[in-house]
Amino acid sequence: MAAKQRDAATTYSPRIIARTRPPIFKDSDLDWTRPDGRGFHQCRPALLQTGAVSSASGSAYAEFGNTKVIVSVFGPRESKKATSYSDVGRLNCNVSYTTFASPTLGSQGTDHKEYASMLHKALEGVIMMETFPKTTVDVFALVLESGGSDLPVVISCAGLALADAGIMMYDLITAVSVSCIGKRLMIDPVTEEEGCEDGSFMMTCMPSRSEITQLTITGEWTTPNINEAMQLCMDASSKLGDIMRDCLKQAASASDE
Amino acid sequence: MGLPDSCQDLSTEMEVDAFRRLFPLRFFERHLSESLRPDGRPLGKARDTNVNLGLVSSADGSALAKIGSTTMLAAIRMEVMTPSTDSPDEGCIAVEFHMPPICSPTVRPGRPADEAPVISKRLSDVISSCDMIDLKELCLVSGKAAWMGYLDIYCLDADGALFDAALLSAVAAFSNLQIPVVALNDNGRIVAINGDGEQENNASITEKEAVNKEKRKLTLKNIPFSLTCILHKKYILADPTAEEESIMDTLVTVVLDSSDQIVNFNKSGGSALVGSSAIKSCVELARKRGKELKQILGDMDID
């Protein structure tokens, strides 16, 4: 109580956040299900939409379960004054969270520097930078609500927004993540699953070319698991790529009318 | 605009889009003289407005408001605080307005928009001064615990009339607010005992008496509605778009409450001087707009 009196402005959330780790699953736990009732190799239903922000050159909204993201693309536009001459274009990425994005985050809705640099690295391989020399393309993402697999959703949404902006790319870009808990592989994990995972695997690829632009593996992985995860991600990416293509075609045919 | 004659000549042969970019003021004045705006609206008409409730599941109350393409997402998180000794049985509302870089090409990361803190302050003034919320309703245990409502409004798409959209989304978020049921535990802390507290270690708490069984919703006594107008020469344009705001700089915002009393009036500089008749017309337009917005919010509550 003394601490409270000292600083009357501090507040706390009345919710109790479970920090307990569920027991590691044995082979006998075959009937175990995921928190949202999905199969282990089943992705969350995806809602994708282009043209969410009217003032941007291109934009997209993505909703995967509770993960909701908006990405705006601005440019190609004049680079910052201080930057030196460049034959190829530049890419500038920013990822931020709303203050209410997740109940555990507290009131700090801030820039996520790590995600911004991962997004940059994931995108730079797919964009034809030489098509906009001396200028910059800005890719800004806002995570409205965080429900797990945030970065893959941001990357896929950014790919869609870039396509909507008419930035030249070699292919669409899709990202999918897989969590490893015990011996189980779970695709497109939600926050609870990410919280108790033993290892995570995220792959960003160009679905029609089957080329990988970014691959991040952390934690405990065996080689067969990695192979399986890669296959899962490839399959999911090509499906996501089809959904994105449909979404872009719909937007284009709607604007023709 | 120093060469009215030359642009008069050009206007006959130039393409419309080019003329709009090169001589925006003349382009608009030509429209205004026909009592019409480039988007086809009459001068006093606001853009299509809609409100959606409860889109953010991680917040206690949320709303998305769209006026034309201006989009605002407001969400409220309720936390517990110790009330100050001056007002031991009152809670508190903290309002913050954000303009993330996604909303407009003029906002860059790391360099927050100038207008964001201004709108933040005006929103917080309006919400506290219009008696919409009785802060006493936010009290949990007198002198010990009260609610602190964090209202965060994010501009997702900035296309003019930001204050109007932000206020509308804030009001809608308050109407959507569901206060969690809480109880006082043995350590003197407030903990939630609502449906999602299914953990077994909560069993001892569930037996405790809920502190706020009845007070799940706030009563919104006096709902403020606002309308921003542009004054340009003899014209009054309601609910301007970003393009109109950038060309004509005299903005007047009128905030009225449910009984049509003026809560807040703001004319932030600009070149046009305002006569009392213009102010009266703005208030009249705001009154009409208030009725429209009341209708929109009313329709929503039934769903």
Side-chain angles (χ1 to χ4, degrees):
Chain A
M1 286 307 280
K4 270 189 180 178
Q5 276 161 3
R6 195 173 59 229
D7 189 4
T10 50
T11 59
Y12 62 91
S13 172
R15 280 183 191 74
I16 295 166
I17 293 140
R19 289 188 202 284
T20 50
R21 191 183 187 285
I24 294 170
F25 308 105
K26 308 279 182 327
D27 284 332
S28 55
D29 292 335
L30 287 172
D31 55 343
W32 186 70
T33 53
R34 298 176 69 172
D36 47 6
R38 270 184 292 157
F40 290 99
H41 296 170
Q42 199 182 355
C43 293
R44 290 172 288 182
L47 172 74
L48 297 167
Q49 221 175 336
T50 55
V53 180
S54 63
S55 50
S57 320
S59 62
Y61 170 76
E63 186 177 323
F64 286 55
N66 274 338
T67 306
K68 293 169 188 145
V69 172
I70 290 187
V71 178
S72 292
V73 173
F74 295 99
R77 60 185 179 185
E78 189 186 1
S79 295
K80 271 191 214 130
K81 296 279 185 299
T83 51
S84 57
Y85 174 81
S86 150
D87 266 346
V88 294
R90 286 169 208 276
L91 178 66
N92 178 30
C93 296
N94 176 269
V95 179
S96 53
Y97 275 69
T98 59
T99 52
F100 44 79
S102 91
T104 46
L105 206 65
S107 55
Q108 263 72 51
T110 43
D111 284 4
H112 206 303
K113 291 263 161 54
E114 185 199 341
Y115 279 5
S117 93
M118 303 249 307
L119 176 62
H120 186 279
K121 290 268 180 290
L123 295 177
E124 67 183 358
V126 77
I127 298 173
M128 299 162 87
M129 299 281 203
E130 65 280 3
T131 58
F132 48 96
K134 299 186 276 183
T135 50
T136 304
V137 166
D138 289 305
V139 178
F140 299 145
L142 179 68
V143 179
L144 302 178
E145 198 178 331
S146 148
S149 306
D150 297 346
L151 184 59
V153 178
V154 166
I155 294 173
S156 305
C157 190
L160 194 63
L162 283 165
D164 184 46
I167 307 289
M168 298 278 265
M169 294 190 286
Y170 294 106
D171 190 5
L172 284 172
I173 190 134
T174 56
V176 181
S177 66
V178 170
S179 274
C180 173
I181 301 182
K183 286 184 174 163
R184 283 271 172 214
L185 291 186
M186 276 173 267
I187 198 164
D188 198 16
V190 297
T191 314
E192 293 95 314
E193 291 164 345
E194 281 182 330
C196 59
E197 69 191 1
D198 295 312
S200 81
F201 178 103
M202 191 193 77
M203 192 172 89
T204 308
C205 73
M206 303 186 228
S208 342
R209 293 161 64 109
S210 302
E211 284 179 344
I212 294 171
T213 66
Q214 190 179 47
L215 179 65
T216 326
I217 305 173
T218 53
E220 295 168 32
W221 285 90
T222 58
T223 314
N225 266 355
I226 290 179
N227 285 334
E228 196 191 339
M230 192 155 331
Q231 200 49 53
L232 276 174
C233 284
M234 276 297 188
D235 291 348
S237 287
S238 77
K239 277 181 198 149
L240 184 56
D242 291 343
I243 299 175
M244 284 164 74
R245 206 160 278 125
D246 283 347
C247 172
L248 287 166
K249 274 184 197 157
Q250 259 175 25
S253 61
S255 66
D256 279 348
E257 280 158 16
Chain B
M1 290 298 100
L3 301 164
D5 290 322
S6 65
C7 77
Q8 183 86 61
D9 298 334
L10 281 168
S11 68
T12 50
E13 50 202 77
M14 217 187 285
E15 278 183 39
V16 178
D17 259 5
F19 185 68
R20 183 177 194 162
R21 278 175 177 267
L22 289 171
F23 306 105
L25 194 60
R26 276 195 59 83
F27 176 80
F28 269 88
E29 284 178 346
R30 280 277 282 277
H31 277 87
L32 296 184
S33 62
E34 310 275 332
S35 297
L36 205 70
R37 292 154 77 170
D39 54 6
R41 278 188 286 161
L43 302 192
K45 194 171 177 350
R47 289 167 287 176
D48 283 345
T49 305
N50 61 60
V51 178
N52 281 301
L53 293 182
L55 296 172
V56 183
S57 53
S58 51
D60 296 305
S62 60
L64 182 87
K66 266 184 103 118
I67 299 181
S69 45
T70 299
T71 311
M72 295 286 169
L73 179 68
I76 305 169
R77 284 173 304 123
M78 300 301 278
E79 296 205 345
V80 182
M81 64 161 192
T82 313
S84 69
T85 40
D86 305 336
S87 48
D89 48 4
E90 283 187 4
C92 194
I93 301 284
V95 183
E96 190 144 11
F97 178 74
H98 308 259
M99 287 181 77
I102 63 155
C103 76
S104 151
T106 56
V107 186
R108 304 279 179 115
R111 234 188 306 158
D114 296 337
E115 55 261 62
V118 179
I119 294 179
S120 224
K121 179 78 175 74
R122 277 169 58 202
L123 279 171
S124 133
D125 285 351
V126 166
I127 289 171
S128 60
S129 67
C130 79
D131 276 342
M132 175 164 70
I133 291 152
D134 185 1
L135 292 177
K136 291 204 164 57
E137 280 190 16
L138 295 171
C139 176
L140 284 167
V141 182
S142 182
K144 287 264 161 48
W147 287 115
M148 174 81 167
Y150 288 103
L151 168 63
D152 287 284
I153 301 160
Y154 278 84
C155 177
L156 303 183
D157 195 348
D159 189 21
L162 299 185
F163 180 83
D164 298 354
L167 185 64
L168 180 64
S169 71
V171 168
F174 274 116
S175 78
N176 178 242
L177 178 65
Q178 279 279 340
I179 298 174
V181 180
V182 292
L184 197 62
N185 76 358
D186 300 331
N187 306 329
R189 276 175 80 91
I190 299 285
V191 285
I193 51 168
N194 52 354
D196 52 300
E198 75 286 325
Q199 284 91 359
E200 274 119 47
N201 56 359
N202 271 14
S204 58
I205 299 159
T206 330
E207 288 159 22
K208 298 237 190 249
E209 191 70 25
V211 184
N212 61 341
K213 240 178 204 157
E214 289 98 49
K215 288 188 265 179
R216 299 297 311 283
K217 281 217 162 258
L218 292 178
T219 35
L220 302 182
K221 288 192 294 189
N222 216 344
I223 297 176
F225 294 109
S226 76
L227 180 69
T228 300
C229 295
I230 280 187
L231 300 181
H232 181 70
K233 296 194 177 152
K234 59 180 179 167
Y235 306 111
I236 298 174
L237 286 77
D239 186 27
T241 62
E243 191 188 8
E244 289 166 343
E245 282 184 3
S246 69
I247 295 163
M248 297 166 278
D249 55 1
T250 311
L251 285 173
V252 172
T253 303
V254 184
V255 186
L256 299 176
D257 67 8
S258 318
S259 48
D260 286 345
Q261 300 292 310
I262 295 179
V263 176
N264 189 299
F265 185 92
N266 184 52
K267 172 184 179 288
S268 48
S271 49
L273 298 169
V274 182
S276 59
S277 65
I279 290 183
K280 270 183 199 145
S281 324
C282 285
V283 173
E284 191 46 48
L285 283 171
R287 194 164 292 161
K288 274 194 200 132
R289 177 69 174 154
K291 284 209 184 77
E292 273 174 46
L293 291 174
K294 233 179 265 176
Q295 179 98 44
I296 290 164
L297 284 179
D299 288 349
M300 212 174 49
D301 282 346
I302 297 162
D303 297 340

